[in-house]
Amino acid sequence: MKKAINHIYLIILLSILSSVAPIATDTYIPSIPDIAEAFHVGIEKIEITLSIFLIGFSVGQIFGGPMSDRLGRRKSSLFGLLGFALFSFIMIFSANIYQLWIFRFIEAFFGGIVVVNAMATVRDRFHGQEAAKVLSLIGTIRSIAPLIAPAIGSLIIHFYSWEAVFLFLTFYALFVAFLVYKDLDESFTYVKQSIYHSYKIVLSHKTAMKAMLTLSLGFSGFFIFISKSSFIFIEHYGISTDHFPFFFGFNFVILIAMIRVNLYFLKTNTPLFLIKTSLIIQIVIAILWALTADIQTLPLTMALMAGYMSMMAFIFGNCMALALEHFKKNAGVASGVVGVLQFGLGAIISSLGVLSHGESLVPIGTSLAFISFVAFLIIRGYKK
């Protein structure tokens, strides 16, 4: 029998396991201008690969949820990680932009299979307020990934070509697979149930769906900033790719600080109250962004951007805990549905943001205000 792993190490391992998406997207962001130049296309054609990644990631979670509930968290994690590593490596040999899009989609598909297992494992082991705290701790550690990933990406392309970024992703996935194989104990309870019935149970749960949709919309706004960050800092303000990680990483320093604040507030407040409050703050910040977009200075842009993105500290862990609490026997499928909604909506909405590519920052603010307002209306009707 394997010895049960340390509680703190388990949280770190699950954080690393769930960091596939931020590592895969944020390491890649500084190289977007270089890739556009290499393939002789406009920067928006490379920005769209971020949305393609999210779509593939969503589709992967549709299959990853049932796989997790059938095969277990450990086996399906290993399958996904090895597939992710393989197509990260194959992407190096893309001959044109269309091959890059296809390989990026397949890479993301395997990443989707991976990520559902981290959240499902939390649901297997923790419940209620404790689950919200654990998910916030995972969020704290996982937020280090997008903080250091752009710096890693910038360092790589400073010395090597863009292909080296995907070589890094290959070795990252293989390293995580080694840790999972060595240390992750199985935690799921097998339940004989058809995939159709599992999805029907999750999708028909109206209360849980409200938390899932709120999380998905919150992530959509968050990802608009991620997908437009290269344009905002490098093109709009003329920041060099070497300095980009410092400006982009500032958002995640504030996010990590806010996750700690969320943990403190969970001692005296319900997750639902914290979600509603954070959405109201997002609406106010987004309106300020839209009103000041044409006269913004770099410090004001950074303050508003960090303020909006940091509210995900109160949305992600708390919404995830509210959503998964209802599914003891279908945690993998439930986690998959959350992921599909989260990354699917993120892909669609961020794609619309990329297609509205222009010199003005006003559309960003108006889009974010609308998204946060709709999310607030949905979560208002949540009743446990």
Side-chain angles (χ1 to χ4, degrees), residues 54-114:
L54 291 187
I55 294 170
F57 206 63
S58 300
V59 175
Q61 289 177 82
I62 294 175
F63 292 89
M67 183 182 295
S68 179
D69 288 337
R70 289 291 183 90
L71 300 180
R73 319 306 183 203
R74 186 166 175 266
K75 288 182 181 178
S76 56
S77 292
L78 290 171
F79 175 76
L81 286 164
L82 293 176
F84 183 91
L86 175 62
F87 279 91
S88 294
F89 183 70
I90 290 175
M91 209 174 309
I92 294 170
F93 304 100
S94 300
N96 53 59
I97 186 65
Y98 302 108
Q99 286 186 9
L100 185 74
W101 286 355
I102 292 169
F103 295 147
R104 188 69 165 160
F105 177 88
I106 301 173
E107 175 203 46
F109 174 84
F110 283 104
I113 292 175
V114 173

Coordinates of all heavy atoms in Angstrom, one line a residue, residues 54-114:
L54 N -8.8 27.2 -25.7 CA -9.9 27.1 -24.7 C -11.0 26.2 -25.2 O -11.6 25.4 -24.5 CB -10.5 28.5 -24.4 CG -9.6 29.5 -23.6 CD1 -10.4 30.7 -23.3 CD2 -9.1 28.8 -22.4
I55 N -11.2 26.2 -26.5 CA -12.2 25.3 -27.1 C -11.8 23.9 -27.0 O -12.6 23.0 -26.5 CB -12.5 25.7 -28.6 CG1 -13.1 27.1 -28.7 CG2 -13.4 24.6 -29.3 CD1 -13.2 27.6 -30.1
G56 N -10.5 23.6 -27.3 CA -10.0 22.2 -27.2 C -10.0 21.8 -25.7 O -10.3 20.6 -25.4
F57 N -9.7 22.7 -24.9 CA -9.6 22.4 -23.4 C -11.1 22.1 -22.9 O -11.2 21.2 -22.1 CB -9.1 23.7 -22.7 CG -8.5 23.4 -21.4 CD1 -7.3 22.6 -21.3 CD2 -9.0 23.9 -20.2 CE1 -6.7 22.4 -20.1 CE2 -8.4 23.7 -19.0 CZ -7.3 22.9 -18.9
S58 N -12.1 22.8 -23.5 CA -13.4 22.5 -23.1 C -13.9 21.1 -23.6 O -14.5 20.4 -22.8 CB -14.4 23.6 -23.7 OG -14.0 24.8 -23.2
V59 N -13.6 20.8 -24.8 CA -14.0 19.5 -25.4 C -13.3 18.4 -24.6 O -13.9 17.4 -24.4 CB -13.6 19.5 -26.9 CG1 -13.9 18.1 -27.5 CG2 -14.4 20.5 -27.7
G60 N -12.0 18.6 -24.3 CA -11.3 17.6 -23.5 C -12.0 17.3 -22.2 O -12.0 16.1 -21.7
Q61 N -12.6 18.3 -21.6 CA -13.2 18.1 -20.3 C -14.6 17.4 -20.4 O -15.0 16.7 -19.5 CB -13.4 19.4 -19.6 CG -12.1 20.0 -19.1 CD -12.2 21.4 -18.5 OE1 -12.5 21.5 -17.3 NE2 -11.9 22.4 -19.2
I62 N -15.2 17.5 -21.6 CA -16.4 16.7 -21.8 C -16.1 15.2 -21.7 O -16.9 14.4 -21.1 CB -17.0 17.0 -23.2 CG1 -17.5 18.5 -23.2 CG2 -18.2 16.1 -23.5 CD1 -18.0 18.9 -24.6
F63 N -15.0 14.8 -22.3 CA -14.6 13.4 -22.3 C -13.8 13.1 -21.0 O -13.9 11.9 -20.5 CB -13.7 13.1 -23.5 CG -14.4 13.1 -24.8 CD1 -14.5 14.3 -25.5 CD2 -15.0 12.0 -25.3 CE1 -15.1 14.3 -26.7 CE2 -15.7 12.0 -26.5 CZ -15.7 13.2 -27.2
G64 N -13.1 14.1 -20.4 CA -12.3 13.8 -19.2 C -13.1 13.6 -18.0 O -12.7 12.8 -17.1
G65 N -14.3 14.2 -17.9 CA -15.2 14.0 -16.7 C -15.6 12.5 -16.5 O -15.3 11.9 -15.5
P66 N -16.3 11.9 -17.5 CA -16.6 10.5 -17.4 C -15.4 9.6 -17.3 O -15.5 8.6 -16.6 CB -17.4 10.3 -18.8 CG -17.9 11.6 -19.2 CD -16.8 12.6 -18.7
M67 N -14.3 9.9 -18.0 CA -13.1 9.1 -17.9 C -12.6 9.1 -16.4 O -12.2 8.1 -15.9 CB -12.1 9.6 -18.8 CG -10.8 8.8 -18.8 SD -9.5 9.5 -19.9 CE -10.3 9.4 -21.5
S68 N -12.7 10.3 -15.8 CA -12.2 10.4 -14.4 C -13.1 9.5 -13.5 O -12.6 8.9 -12.6 CB -12.2 11.9 -14.0 OG -11.8 12.0 -12.6
D69 N -14.4 9.6 -13.7 CA -15.3 8.8 -12.8 C -15.3 7.3 -13.1 O -15.7 6.5 -12.3 CB -16.8 9.3 -13.0 CG -17.0 10.7 -12.4 OD1 -16.2 11.0 -11.5 OD2 -17.9 11.4 -12.8
R70 N -14.8 6.9 -14.3 CA -14.7 5.5 -14.7 C -13.4 4.9 -14.3 O -13.3 3.8 -13.7 CB -15.0 5.3 -16.2 CG -16.5 5.6 -16.6 CD -17.4 4.5 -16.0 NE -18.7 4.6 -16.5 CZ -19.2 4.1 -17.6 NH1 -18.5 3.4 -18.4 NH2 -20.5 4.3 -17.9
L71 N -12.3 5.6 -14.8 CA -10.9 5.0 -14.6 C -10.3 5.5 -13.3 O -9.3 4.8 -12.9 CB -10.1 5.4 -15.8 CG -10.6 4.9 -17.2 CD1 -9.6 5.4 -18.3 CD2 -10.7 3.4 -17.3
G72 N -10.7 6.6 -12.8 CA -10.0 7.1 -11.6 C -9.3 8.4 -11.9 O -8.9 8.6 -13.1
R73 N -9.0 9.1 -10.9 CA -8.3 10.4 -11.1 C -6.8 10.3 -11.6 O -6.4 11.0 -12.4 CB -8.3 11.2 -9.8 CG -9.6 11.2 -8.9 CD -10.8 11.6 -9.7 NE -12.0 11.6 -8.8 CZ -13.2 11.5 -9.3 NH1 -13.5 11.4 -10.6 NH2 -14.2 11.5 -8.4
R74 N -6.2 9.2 -11.1 CA -4.8 9.0 -11.4 C -4.5 8.6 -12.8 O -3.7 9.2 -13.5 CB -4.2 8.0 -10.4 CG -2.7 7.8 -10.5 CD -2.2 7.0 -9.2 NE -0.8 6.7 -9.3 CZ -0.3 5.5 -9.8 NH1 -1.2 4.6 -10.2 NH2 1.0 5.3 -9.8
K75 N -5.2 7.5 -13.2 CA -5.0 7.0 -14.6 C -5.4 8.0 -15.7 O -4.7 8.2 -16.7 CB -5.8 5.7 -14.8 CG -5.3 4.5 -14.0 CD -6.1 3.3 -14.3 CE -5.6 2.1 -13.5 NZ -6.5 0.9 -13.8
S76 N -6.5 8.7 -15.5 CA -6.9 9.6 -16.5 C -6.0 10.9 -16.5 O -5.8 11.5 -17.6 CB -8.4 10.1 -16.3 OG -8.6 10.6 -15.0
S77 N -5.4 11.2 -15.4 CA -4.5 12.3 -15.4 C -3.2 12.0 -16.2 O -2.7 12.8 -17.0 CB -4.0 12.6 -13.9 OG -5.1 13.2 -13.2
L78 N -2.7 10.7 -16.0 CA -1.5 10.3 -16.7 C -1.8 10.2 -18.2 O -1.0 10.7 -19.0 CB -1.1 8.9 -16.2 CG -0.5 8.9 -14.8 CD1 -0.3 7.4 -14.3 CD2 0.8 9.6 -14.7
F79 N -3.0 9.7 -18.6 CA -3.3 9.7 -20.0 C -3.3 11.1 -20.6 O -2.7 11.3 -21.7 CB -4.7 9.0 -20.2 CG -5.2 9.0 -21.6 CD1 -4.7 8.1 -22.5 CD2 -6.2 9.9 -22.0 CE1 -5.2 8.1 -23.8 CE2 -6.7 9.9 -23.3 CZ -6.2 9.0 -24.2
G80 N -3.9 12.0 -20.0 CA -4.0 13.4 -20.5 C -2.7 14.1 -20.5 O -2.3 14.8 -21.5
L81 N -1.8 13.9 -19.5 CA -0.5 14.5 -19.5 C 0.4 14.0 -20.6 O 1.1 14.8 -21.2 CB 0.1 14.3 -18.1 CG -0.5 15.1 -16.9 CD1 0.0 14.6 -15.6 CD2 -0.1 16.6 -17.1
L82 N 0.4 12.7 -20.8 CA 1.2 12.2 -21.9 C 0.8 12.7 -23.3 O 1.6 12.9 -24.1 CB 1.2 10.6 -21.8 CG 1.9 10.0 -20.5 CD1 1.7 8.5 -20.5 CD2 3.3 10.4 -20.5
G83 N -0.6 12.7 -23.5 CA -1.1 13.3 -24.7 C -0.7 14.7 -24.9 O -0.3 15.2 -26.0
F84 N -0.8 15.5 -23.8 CA -0.5 16.9 -23.8 C 1.0 17.1 -24.2 O 1.4 18.0 -25.0 CB -0.7 17.5 -22.5 CG -0.5 19.0 -22.4 CD1 -1.5 19.9 -22.7 CD2 0.8 19.5 -22.0 CE1 -1.3 21.3 -22.6 CE2 1.0 20.9 -21.9 CZ 0.0 21.8 -22.2
A85 N 1.9 16.3 -23.6 CA 3.3 16.4 -23.9 C 3.6 16.0 -25.3 O 4.4 16.7 -26.0 CB 4.1 15.4 -22.9
L86 N 3.0 15.0 -25.9 CA 3.2 14.6 -27.2 C 2.9 15.7 -28.2 O 3.7 16.0 -29.1 CB 2.4 13.3 -27.5 CG 2.4 12.8 -29.0 CD1 3.8 12.4 -29.4 CD2 1.4 11.7 -29.2
F87 N 1.7 16.3 -28.1 CA 1.3 17.3 -29.1 C 1.9 18.7 -28.8 O 2.0 19.5 -29.8 CB -0.2 17.4 -29.1 CG -0.8 16.3 -30.0 CD1 -1.2 15.1 -29.4 CD2 -0.9 16.5 -31.4 CE1 -1.7 14.1 -30.2 CE2 -1.5 15.4 -32.1 CZ -1.8 14.2 -31.6
S88 N 2.4 18.9 -27.6 CA 3.2 20.1 -27.4 C 4.5 20.0 -28.2 O 5.0 21.0 -28.8 CB 3.6 20.3 -25.9 OG 2.4 20.6 -25.2
F89 N 5.1 18.8 -28.3 CA 6.3 18.5 -29.0 C 6.0 18.6 -30.5 O 6.8 19.2 -31.3 CB 6.9 17.2 -28.6 CG 8.2 16.8 -29.3 CD1 9.3 17.5 -29.0 CD2 8.2 15.8 -30.3 CE1 10.5 17.2 -29.6 CE2 9.4 15.5 -30.9 CZ 10.6 16.2 -30.6
I90 N 4.9 17.9 -31.0 CA 4.6 17.9 -32.4 C 4.4 19.3 -32.9 O 4.7 19.7 -34.1 CB 3.3 17.1 -32.6 CG1 3.6 15.6 -32.4 CG2 2.8 17.3 -34.1 CD1 2.4 14.7 -32.5
M91 N 3.9 20.2 -32.1 CA 3.6 21.6 -32.5 C 4.8 22.4 -33.0 O 4.7 23.3 -33.8 CB 3.0 22.4 -31.4 CG 2.0 23.5 -31.8 SD 1.2 24.3 -30.5 CE 0.5 22.8 -29.6
I92 N 6.0 21.9 -32.6 CA 7.3 22.5 -33.0 C 7.4 22.4 -34.5 O 8.0 23.3 -35.1 CB 8.4 21.9 -32.3 CG1 8.4 22.2 -30.8 CG2 9.8 22.3 -32.8 CD1 9.4 21.4 -29.9
F93 N 6.8 21.4 -35.1 CA 7.1 21.1 -36.5 C 5.9 21.6 -37.4 O 5.8 21.2 -38.6 CB 7.2 19.6 -36.7 CG 8.3 19.0 -35.9 CD1 8.0 18.3 -34.7 CD2 9.7 19.1 -36.2 CE1 9.0 17.8 -33.9 CE2 10.7 18.6 -35.4 CZ 10.4 17.9 -34.2
S94 N 5.1 22.5 -36.9 CA 4.0 23.1 -37.7 C 4.6 23.8 -38.9 O 5.5 24.7 -38.8 CB 3.2 24.1 -36.8 OG 2.7 23.5 -35.7
A95 N 4.0 23.5 -40.0 CA 4.5 24.1 -41.3 C 3.8 25.4 -41.7 O 4.3 26.2 -42.4 CB 4.4 23.1 -42.4
N96 N 2.6 25.6 -41.1 CA 1.8 26.8 -41.4 C 0.9 27.0 -40.2 O 0.8 26.2 -39.3 CB 1.0 26.6 -42.7 CG 0.2 25.3 -42.7 OD1 -0.7 25.1 -41.9 ND2 0.4 24.5 -43.7
I97 N 0.1 28.2 -40.3 CA -0.7 28.6 -39.2 C -1.9 27.6 -39.0 O -2.3 27.4 -37.8 CB -1.3 30.0 -39.5 CG1 -2.1 30.6 -38.3 CG2 -2.1 30.0 -40.8 CD1 -1.3 30.8 -37.1
Y98 N -2.3 26.9 -40.0 CA -3.4 26.0 -39.9 C -3.0 24.7 -39.1 O -3.8 24.2 -38.3 CB -4.0 25.6 -41.3 CG -4.4 26.9 -42.0 CD1 -3.7 27.3 -43.1 CD2 -5.5 27.6 -41.6 CE1 -4.1 28.5 -43.8 CE2 -5.9 28.7 -42.3 CZ -5.2 29.2 -43.4 OH -5.6 30.3 -44.1
Q99 N -1.8 24.3 -39.4 CA -1.3 23.1 -38.6 C -1.1 23.5 -37.1 O -1.4 22.7 -36.2 CB 0.0 22.6 -39.2 CG -0.1 21.9 -40.5 CD 1.2 21.3 -40.9 OE1 2.2 21.3 -40.2 NE2 1.2 20.8 -42.1
L100 N -0.6 24.8 -36.9 CA -0.5 25.2 -35.5 C -1.8 25.3 -34.8 O -1.9 24.8 -33.7 CB 0.1 26.7 -35.5 CG 0.4 27.3 -34.2 CD1 1.7 26.6 -33.6 CD2 0.6 28.8 -34.3
W101 N -2.9 25.7 -35.5 CA -4.2 25.7 -34.9 C -4.7 24.3 -34.5 O -5.2 24.1 -33.4 CB -5.2 26.3 -35.9 CG -5.1 27.8 -36.0 CD1 -4.3 28.7 -35.3 CD2 -5.8 28.6 -37.0 NE1 -4.5 30.0 -35.8 CE2 -5.4 30.0 -36.8 CE3 -6.8 28.4 -37.9 CZ2 -5.9 31.0 -37.5 CZ3 -7.3 29.4 -38.7 CH2 -6.9 30.7 -38.5
I102 N -4.5 23.3 -35.4 CA -4.9 22.0 -35.2 C -4.2 21.3 -34.1 O -4.8 20.7 -33.2 CB -4.7 21.1 -36.5 CG1 -5.7 21.6 -37.6 CG2 -5.0 19.6 -36.2 CD1 -5.4 21.0 -39.0
F103 N -2.8 21.4 -34.1 CA -2.0 20.8 -33.0 C -2.3 21.5 -31.6 O -2.3 20.8 -30.6 CB -0.6 20.9 -33.3 CG -0.1 20.1 -34.5 CD1 0.9 20.6 -35.3 CD2 -0.8 19.0 -34.9 CE1 1.3 19.9 -36.4 CE2 -0.4 18.2 -36.0 CZ 0.6 18.7 -36.8
R104 N -2.6 22.8 -31.7 CA -2.9 23.5 -30.4 C -4.3 23.0 -29.9 O -4.4 22.9 -28.6 CB -3.0 25.0 -30.7 CG -3.2 25.9 -29.5 CD -1.9 25.9 -28.7 NE -1.9 27.0 -27.7 CZ -1.2 27.1 -26.6 NH1 -0.4 26.1 -26.3 NH2 -1.2 28.2 -25.8
F105 N -5.2 22.7 -30.7 CA -6.5 22.2 -30.3 C -6.3 20.8 -29.7 O -6.9 20.6 -28.6 CB -7.4 22.1 -31.5 CG -8.8 21.5 -31.2 CD1 -9.8 22.3 -30.7 CD2 -9.0 20.1 -31.3 CE1 -11.1 21.7 -30.4 CE2 -10.2 19.5 -31.0 CZ -11.2 20.4 -30.5
I106 N -5.6 20.0 -30.3 CA -5.4 18.6 -29.8 C -4.6 18.6 -28.4 O -4.9 17.9 -27.5 CB -4.7 17.7 -30.8 CG1 -5.5 17.6 -32.1 CG2 -4.5 16.3 -30.2 CD1 -4.8 16.9 -33.2
E107 N -3.6 19.5 -28.4 CA -2.8 19.7 -27.1 C -3.8 20.1 -26.0 O -3.7 19.5 -24.9 CB -1.8 20.7 -27.3 CG -1.0 21.1 -26.1 CD -0.4 22.5 -26.1 OE1 -1.1 23.4 -26.5 OE2 0.8 22.6 -25.7
A108 N -4.6 21.0 -26.3 CA -5.6 21.5 -25.3 C -6.6 20.4 -24.9 O -7.0 20.4 -23.8 CB -6.3 22.7 -25.8
F109 N -7.0 19.6 -25.9 CA -7.9 18.5 -25.6 C -7.4 17.6 -24.5 O -8.1 17.3 -23.6 CB -8.2 17.7 -26.9 CG -9.0 16.5 -26.7 CD1 -10.4 16.5 -26.7 CD2 -8.4 15.2 -26.5 CE1 -11.2 15.4 -26.5 CE2 -9.2 14.1 -26.3 CZ -10.6 14.2 -26.3
F110 N -6.2 17.2 -24.6 CA -5.5 16.4 -23.6 C -5.4 17.2 -22.3 O -5.5 16.6 -21.2 CB -4.2 15.8 -24.1 CG -4.3 14.7 -25.0 CD1 -4.1 14.9 -26.4 CD2 -4.7 13.4 -24.6 CE1 -4.2 13.8 -27.3 CE2 -4.8 12.4 -25.5 CZ -4.6 12.6 -26.8
G111 N -5.1 18.5 -22.4 CA -5.1 19.3 -21.1 C -6.4 19.3 -20.4 O -6.4 19.3 -19.2
G112 N -7.5 19.3 -21.2 CA -8.8 19.3 -20.6 C -9.1 18.0 -19.8 O -9.7 18.0 -18.8
I113 N -8.6 16.9 -20.3 CA -8.7 15.6 -19.7 C -8.0 15.6 -18.3 O -8.4 15.1 -17.3 CB -8.1 14.4 -20.5 CG1 -9.0 14.2 -21.7 CG2 -8.0 13.1 -19.7 CD1 -8.5 13.2 -22.8
V114 N -6.8 16.3 -18.3 CA -6.0 16.4 -17.1 C -6.7 17.2 -16.0 O -6.9 16.7 -14.8 CB -4.7 17.1 -17.4 CG1 -3.9 17.4 -16.1 CG2 -3.8 16.2 -18.3

